[in-house]
Amino acid sequence: MNKIIRDDVIRIISEELPFEKFYGKTVLISGANGYVPAYFVHTFVALNEYKNANIHIIALCRNKERAESRFSEYLDRDDFEILLQDICERIDIVKNIHIFIHAASPAGIKKRHEDPVNTFLANVKGAENMLELARRNPCEYFLFLSSVDIYGKMNVDDRLREDMLGFLDILDVRNAYSNGKRAAESLCMAFQAKYSIPVFIVRPFQIIGPGPELDDGRLHIDFISQILANRRIVLKSDGTAIRTFMYITDAITAMLLVLLKGTAGEAVNIVDESGEASVKELADMMAGNVADEKVEVSFDYGQRNNIEVTRALSVVTGDSSKLKKMGFQCRYSVVNGSARMMKYYGIKVKEL
């Protein structure tokens, strides 16, 4: 395993969480090829290695080659297996599953917009198939990874609370992802009400960390791609839009905290106010992380009319009150988290 990822998961399992609730259980993680759900796989494997947790891990993936590459070190393990299938199809597993982590969803902005039908169905039909499987099993925890995108457009720039909801045009196909996540949350609550499935919903904001492909389309990955290719970062906007970033180790810890100490039937933001930064500030941080050479941050005014730029909200920040009431503390600053991510991709960074 890459040293950065191994150090990350060791930090996660070192947190003071009641991990023993998972011991001896079987966990199914959908969308396991994604960089965030893959960290759940790594974490459960680490619990087995370092704490003798005796957890059986099932990684549901659609792409065999990618799965065998990402989890190559686990292929011969008795406590790990890959389940190859499309999340939009019925899931049939002949064994008791106790923990469900539903994270299957089209990754990256490009993929979402290229196929809005699959984007919507992967979120809604995928949730239905996982919930139906949970209904047929001794489900103790069902974690649904929703998204900050469910909030839509607000009339104010306040930090988003879980009880707030803005406008989303249901007729705009570019909202297929956001509307799919909203519908999936509703479906989760319907299954909990009818079948008593203990559902925990998390709404992650911007998660930075190792794993995405360099053409993924996410802001921070685009910056890394530009640094690797040209040793510069070119912004397509004026850089004033504000987002909230969290390093993946903190994000996984926060989601496990919600699962182990939260209340079923609630949604919780996965966010920390200390991670707020403008696009320009993030670019400057990442440029400043680079060792031994200067990385220039500039603007390309010719790309200001790019649809992703013109439609971007000026402020997308979240309220972390619920998470902090559970005792969550962020361990990594945006500077430190982005440096770890950059180092993973082979960029020489300054010691922080």
Side-chain angles (χ1 to χ4, degrees):
M1 183 190 296
N2 177 274
K3 184 179 185 304
I4 289 175
I5 295 177
R6 178 167 290 280
D7 290 346
D8 283 346
V9 296
I10 289 174
R11 174 176 282 275
I12 292 168
I13 67 170
S14 298
E15 295 287 344
E16 293 186 6
L17 289 174
F19 290 116
E20 62 274 7
K21 291 183 179 181
F22 296 149
Y23 290 9
K25 308 295 184 179
T26 295
V27 55
L28 172 65
I29 303 160
S30 72
N33 270 339
Y35 79 105
V36 174
Y39 258 72
F40 281 108
V41 174
H42 298 319
T43 299
F44 286 114
V45 170
L47 284 171
N48 285 348
E49 289 185 348
Y50 293 96
K51 301 193 177 221
N52 298 315
N54 191 31
I55 300 167
H56 188 76
I57 305 124
I58 305 173
L60 190 156
C61 308
R62 187 169 57 174
N63 186 305
K64 179 180 180 181
E65 182 178 345
R66 188 176 177 191
E68 291 181 347
S69 174
R70 188 179 287 280
F71 304 119
S72 58
E73 295 180 41
Y74 307 154
L75 298 180
D76 294 328
R77 295 180 64 107
D78 293 335
D79 58 358
F80 173 81
E81 64 178 290
I82 293 173
L83 174 64
L84 291 171
Q85 77 158 81
D86 190 326
I87 193 64
C88 293
E89 299 174 356
R90 177 186 166 96
I91 309 167
D92 289 309
I93 302 177
V94 186
K95 64 179 61 177
N96 286 336
I97 303 171
H98 311 91
I99 305 156
F100 292 78
I101 297 178
H102 179 40
S105 190
I109 294 172
K110 283 178 61 178
K111 290 183 180 178
R112 297 175 192 173
H113 293 167
E114 287 170 359
D115 191 351
V117 172
N118 185 62
T119 293
F120 187 84
L121 290 177
N123 284 317
V124 182
K125 190 68 178 175
E128 179 190 13
N129 287 331
M130 284 286 282
L131 288 161
E132 279 288 352
L133 184 64
R135 183 170 69 87
R136 304 193 302 268
N137 275 271
C139 175
E140 298 178 15
Y141 302 96
F142 189 104
L143 180 67
F144 174 55
L145 273 66
S146 186
S147 169
V148 60
D149 290 353
I150 66 100
Y151 285 109
K153 294 182 179 179
M154 301 286 184
N155 294 323
V156 295
D157 287 340
D158 295 343
R159 292 192 179 103
L160 301 171
R161 299 187 315 273
E162 291 85 350
D163 60 353
M164 298 170 69
L165 207 59
F167 174 73
L168 273 176
D169 185 352
I170 60 174
L171 300 182
D172 186 344
V173 295
R174 299 184 75 82
N175 290 331
Y177 177 83
S178 306
N179 284 314
K181 288 292 189 184
R182 276 192 180 182
E185 285 197 17
S186 294
L187 191 61
C188 284
M189 297 313 299
F191 266 78
Q192 175 167 295
K194 185 171 183 179
Y195 302 113
S196 300
I197 296 173
V199 172
F200 300 81
I201 298 171
V202 289
R203 296 171 180 167
F205 282 61
Q206 300 281 345
I207 299 177
I208 61 175
E213 301 294 332
L214 288 173
D215 62 351
D216 175 88
R218 289 179 177 88
L219 182 68
H220 49 283
I221 297 300
D222 186 39
F223 289 171
I224 287 175
S225 297
Q226 292 189 55
I227 292 171
L228 287 170
N230 305 307
R231 286 300 188 258
R232 63 187 303 214
I233 297 174
V234 179
L235 301 180
K236 300 172 186 176
S237 70
D238 60 10
T240 59
I242 298 174
R243 301 291 183 262
T244 313
F245 303 93
M246 180 182 284
Y247 186 61
I248 192 165
T249 303
D250 286 321
I252 297 294
T253 300
M255 288 187 271
L256 290 172
L257 174 66
V258 171
L259 196 62
L260 290 165
K261 293 189 175 182
T263 301
E266 290 190 1
V268 180
N269 287 335
I270 303 301
V271 68
D272 189 271
E273 289 84 351
S274 67
E276 292 173 7
S278 71
V279 171
K280 175 64 163 56
E281 287 171 337
L282 178 67
D284 287 338
M285 286 181 202
M286 292 179 66
N289 281 337
V290 179
D292 300 335
E293 60 183 308
K294 181 176 176 58
V295 173
E296 178 189 359
V297 177
S298 59
F299 298 87
D300 183 350
Y301 293 94
Q303 297 192 51
R304 291 291 173 88
N305 292 325
N306 180 296
I307 192 168
E308 300 303 335
V309 172
T310 57
R311 291 174 54 126
L313 299 178
S314 60
V315 179
V316 182
T317 59
D319 180 275
S320 66
S321 298
K322 276 192 174 184
L323 199 55
K324 287 182 177 176
K325 283 181 181 177
M326 297 180 202
F328 175 75
Q329 288 184 315
C330 208
R331 307 294 188 192
Y332 286 99
S333 67
V334 179
V335 173
N336 287 315
S338 62
R340 289 185 66 77
M341 173 180 61
M342 293 165 70
K343 190 174 181 180
Y344 171 85
Y345 288 98
I347 298 172
K348 187 176 181 182
V349 300
K350 297 173 183 175
E351 291 297 325
L352 299 176

